[in-house]
Amino acid sequence: DVKVTQSSRYLVKRTGEKVFLECVQDMDHENMFWYRQDPGLGLRLIYFSYDVKMKEKGDIPEGYSVSREKKERFSLILESASTNQTSMYLCASEVNTEAFFGQGTRLTVV
Amino acid sequence: GQQLNQSPQSMFIQEGEDVSMNCTSSSIFNTWLWYKQEPGEGPVLLIALYKAGELTSNGRLTAQFGITRKDSFLNISASIPSDVGIYFCAGQSSNTGKLIFGQGTTLQVKP
């Protein structure tokens, strides 16, 4: 079974903090994604990566950056957290157009 | 950007009832996927569809890839309380190759 693991289930951070969300997959997939999920808006793509050290902006990249130093690990970075970044963050890895998700990180910025 | 319109937004049904939800788009998709997300968890893939007209079942779930390649539906027969969750459709755009997600259908089942 594909396993995608996100480092935290719940996080509470203060406005202005730098926040790291980590994601690791164990299936050697090349494609990895970060989404945020908000009620009524579905899943919105923040950033994605098709290879190590490669990154592409998704639909809502503002306020975020990513890092992919190793194939299995894709990190999402909030350079200076703001309250409007309070959300559920989902990491996914993909093969043959099928995406496999982590359990999600619910981030609250206060 | 491209969008998927998923409906209904929410459903509250009695145990044993059948459920139907669908997704439509103005664009053509190569692949349609259906996911279920339980509270506090990430979405889990239920059914994947790869060909126009394809009809696939997974237990009490049945999904179809529309002939026009612009829509898909998911049916759940004889619903049970553990069917509760948010169901998402996703389509792979023929233009960009990216997966695009619908807004989700929240299903609640009354025992």
Side-chain angles (χ1 to χ4, degrees):
Chain A
D1 281 351
V2 176
K3 191 158 180 68
V4 179
T5 304
Q6 293 182 229
S7 53
S8 304
R9 294 290 294 262
Y10 301 95
L11 276 178
V12 180
K13 296 292 182 180
R14 295 194 180 277
T15 301
E17 276 193 76
K18 190 169 185 176
V19 181
F20 292 86
L21 302 183
E22 307 286 348
C23 175
V24 177
Q25 51 99 358
D26 66 356
M27 286 303 293
D28 204 36
H29 292 168
E30 292 181 345
N31 303 341
M32 296 188 74
F33 303 81
W34 275 105
Y35 295 89
R36 67 176 279 176
Q37 180 181 13
D38 301 287
L41 297 178
L43 301 175
R44 293 183 291 167
L45 182 63
I46 305 171
Y47 265 95
F48 61 100
S49 170
Y50 288 156
D51 202 352
V52 175
K53 298 199 184 290
M54 177 270 182
K55 58 186 178 185
E56 291 275 355
K57 293 180 180 179
D59 299 319
I60 52 165
E62 296 77 20
Y64 303 95
S65 62
V66 290
S67 172
R68 186 127 183 241
E69 295 295 319
K70 294 184 178 181
K71 193 174 187 179
E72 67 270 19
R73 186 180 297 270
F74 193 34
S75 303
L76 180 69
I77 303 158
L78 287 66
E79 294 290 341
S80 178
S82 63
T83 55
N84 63 12
Q85 291 178 309
T86 291
S87 187
M88 170 75 117
Y89 289 87
L90 290 163
C91 172
S93 71
E94 181 199 84
V95 64
N96 297 331
T97 75
E98 295 182 17
F100 299 87
F101 287 87
Q103 76 277 30
T105 296
R106 185 163 292 282
L107 172 67
T108 302
V109 182
V110 298
Chain B
Q2 289 180 288
Q3 286 189 326
L4 287 182
N5 296 312
Q6 185 172 350
S7 65
Q9 190 172 9
S10 62
M11 304 180 75
F12 189 86
I13 62 169
Q14 196 76 32
E15 182 177 1
E17 288 184 10
D18 296 342
V19 172
S20 184
M21 59 192 78
N22 69 83
C23 276
T24 61
S25 172
S26 57
S27 306
I28 289 173
F29 287 88
N30 294 331
T31 302
W32 283 96
L33 306 171
W34 285 92
Y35 288 85
K36 178 189 177 186
Q37 182 182 29
E38 297 189 359
E41 301 294 331
V44 173
L45 183 64
L46 297 173
I47 293 178
L49 303 159
Y50 299 103
K51 287 168 44 178
E54 181 179 353
L55 182 72
T56 296
S57 293
N58 178 5
R60 293 178 295 108
L61 278 60
T62 302
Q64 185 160 29
F65 192 143
I67 285 290
T68 64
R69 296 171 62 194
K70 294 181 179 180
D71 62 337
S72 177
F73 73 75
L74 174 71
N75 287 343
I76 305 173
S77 62
S79 58
I80 59 178
S82 62
D83 288 335
V84 300
I86 304 175
Y87 291 80
F88 289 100
C89 64
Q92 185 200 26
S93 166
S94 62
N95 293 336
T96 65
K98 291 182 188 177
L99 267 183
I100 299 169
F101 284 83
Q103 303 96 321
T105 296
T106 300
L107 177 64
Q108 297 180 69
V109 179
K110 185 177 179 182

